[in-house]
Amino acid sequence: MIPAPFEYVRPTTVEEAVQAVAEGGEDVKVMAGGQSLIPVMRLRLAAPETIVDLGGIAELRGVREEGDHLVIGAMTTHAEVVTDPLIAQHARLIAEATETVADRQTRRRGTFGGALAHADPAGDLAAVALALDAEMVIAGPSGRRTVPAREFFVDYLTTSLEEGEILVEIRVPKLSGDWGVRYEKFNRVAQAWSIVAVAAAVRREDGHIAEARIGLTNMGPTPLRASATEAALAGAPATADAVASAARSAAEGTSPSSDLNAQADYREHLVQVLTRRAVTAAAGL
């Protein structure tokens, strides 16, 4: 189908974008890569009066270093993320997960910030941001503010972005060389949406697991941390048995849904299996 008529605005600065969103009123949509918005508009499940396209804002693209953080522009495409040398060096977990997003065509258009702002629980990148303790930098009429990933994802397809605000960049702490990472994903062959996925970052020290950060995809309406498993791994010997034992707690505190792809109890089983695999690989076992 053809989308309903709409006004189209393409600002060239963040300030212009914030102003355009404010002037668009209640029925305005912000478009990043358009890979989620355009399909629903074509089906007329969404019919905004105004589209504010962020594609013309050069300052929202690219990756740079700021001290012990990487700063990823919200309009940096998935394809750019996958091939960026700074991400490969300091945040390889992001590149691993991004390689599994959709297909090559979508990765050329879809954006890192757009995927996070969309907040689909089956999307791959929100759990990675959560596992890496990323921070979201948001611009709005009152200026800029920074929100930790753990507070950014509020509910199904809902974030802490308020009316008139846009996501401009993502700050990710660098991981040093003693961290191992792994993204494990289970999905139907015909589509790339995760039935369940696990993002793991593990730091070993003297034959033990000093710290583990584990983000879960599609185990609730928002991405979650596997807190019980993280606690069980802290200080545990870096052995396959210890990892397997800790992974049995991965479903604690989750609320997976039942749908055409999987029942909730199957997702609870999957998350234990994928957590064991991801942590085992990240720990180099």
Side-chain angles (χ1 to χ4, degrees):
M1 293 178 64
I2 299 173
F6 57 88
E7 295 292 327
Y8 177 78
V9 183
R10 186 178 171 88
T12 58
T13 68
V14 171
E15 292 73 19
E16 289 178 1
V18 171
Q19 181 178 352
V21 172
E23 292 174 351
E26 296 183 0
D27 202 10
V28 62
K29 288 289 186 183
V30 175
M31 184 170 71
Q35 301 304 290
S36 298
L37 178 60
I38 291 175
V40 297
M41 289 177 62
R42 286 173 60 87
L43 294 171
R44 302 218 176 183
L45 297 174
E49 292 183 359
T50 304
I51 296 292
V52 178
D53 182 358
L54 304 183
I57 307 177
E59 65 185 285
L60 295 186
R61 300 190 76 149
V63 182
R64 68 181 189 274
E65 293 181 272
E66 280 191 5
D68 57 358
H69 283 73
L70 290 185
V71 181
I72 306 172
M75 288 297 291
T76 307
T77 67
H78 300 313
E80 291 166 339
V81 165
V82 168
T83 58
D84 188 86
L86 289 175
I87 290 177
Q89 181 179 358
H90 299 295
R92 185 163 49 86
L93 184 58
I94 294 176
E96 276 195 21
T98 304
E99 282 185 308
T100 75
V101 171
D103 50 35
R104 288 180 182 270
Q105 295 90 328
T106 299
R107 289 195 294 273
R108 295 288 293 184
R109 292 289 304 172
T111 66
F112 188 61
L116 295 174
H118 186 49
D120 192 313
D124 297 287
L125 303 180
V128 175
L130 195 64
L132 295 179
D133 292 329
E135 297 176 328
M136 314 300 174
V137 180
I138 297 167
S142 300
R144 297 197 178 198
R145 63 189 180 100
T146 301
V147 179
R150 64 181 179 274
E151 300 173 9
F152 183 73
F153 304 102
V154 175
D155 204 342
Y156 179 75
L157 300 179
T158 305
T159 70
S160 60
L161 284 167
E162 297 179 357
E163 185 175 339
E165 293 185 327
I166 60 173
L167 177 63
V168 293
E169 60 189 29
I170 300 91
R171 297 176 55 84
V172 182
K174 295 178 181 177
L175 293 185
S176 57
D178 53 353
W179 284 86
V181 299
R182 182 73 168 195
Y183 190 69
E184 286 284 342
K185 175 175 176 174
F186 188 84
N187 60 284
R188 295 175 60 189
V189 174
Q191 55 183 249
W193 293 110
S194 296
I195 295 176
V196 173
V198 176
V202 176
R203 181 170 62 87
R204 288 181 58 172
E205 190 176 276
D206 298 326
H208 289 73
I209 295 175
E211 184 179 359
R213 304 177 190 171
I214 304 167
L216 308 179
T217 297
N218 218 8
M219 288 299 293
T222 65
L224 300 168
R225 288 281 285 265
S227 301
T229 297
E230 291 177 350
L233 287 170
T239 64
D241 287 343
V243 170
S245 176
R248 296 189 188 102
S249 304
E252 288 186 17
T254 66
S255 55
S257 63
S258 294
D259 54 32
L260 292 175
N261 291 315
Q263 296 297 304
D265 58 349
Y266 182 54
R267 283 192 163 95
E268 291 174 349
H269 165 72
L270 274 179
V271 78
Q272 296 175 52
V273 173
L274 296 180
T275 298
R276 174 176 54 80
R277 292 178 183 175
V279 173
T280 297
L285 300 178

